Amino acid sequence: TQGEYGAETADYWRYVRLNELQDRFAATHPADVSTVDLGGHVCTDTVCHEPLPNGARLRSDGVHFTPEGAAWIAPWLGQQLEALPAAVR
């Protein structure tokens, strides 16, 4: 089914599965690989940050960030990347 912002509902489950595979791979290679849960920050099980606090759209097509969405997520993502062990940065 078509989501409110253009994303297919089935795509959600594809991303869930992809994240599971990535997390499993990271768990078997802890010295070399880490993951950051961008999707978990952007959307919980019940709430997506849409619209953003300033009223702008997070995603123009339900998948890709708008420039405003990227500017909103960038500080958080930068902090997450800086917190990763140096070996995986």
Side-chain angles (χ1 to χ4, degrees):
T1 61
Q2 194 74 4
E4 181 178 356
Y5 296 99
E8 296 283 338
T9 303
D11 286 344
Y12 170 79
W13 296 110
R14 290 183 186 111
Y15 284 112
V16 167
R17 180 66 177 141
L18 178 60
N19 288 338
E20 289 171 353
L21 292 171
Q22 291 170 340
D23 288 343
R24 189 178 331 160
F25 183 84
T28 61
H29 299 84
D32 303 313
V33 179
S34 288
T35 61
V36 173
D37 188 10
L38 177 63
H41 180 71
V42 172
C43 296
T44 66
D45 288 340
T46 57
V47 177
C48 283
H49 294 283
E50 185 76 58
L52 295 173
N54 67 3
R57 305 254 334 246
L58 175 66
R59 297 178 169 138
S60 60
D61 61 1
V63 178
H64 301 96
F65 290 117
T66 61
E68 297 85 3
W72 175 79
I73 198 67
W76 177 87
L77 183 56
Q79 291 173 352
Q80 302 307 302
L81 296 175
E82 286 294 321
L84 293 173
V88 297
R89 277 192 259 145

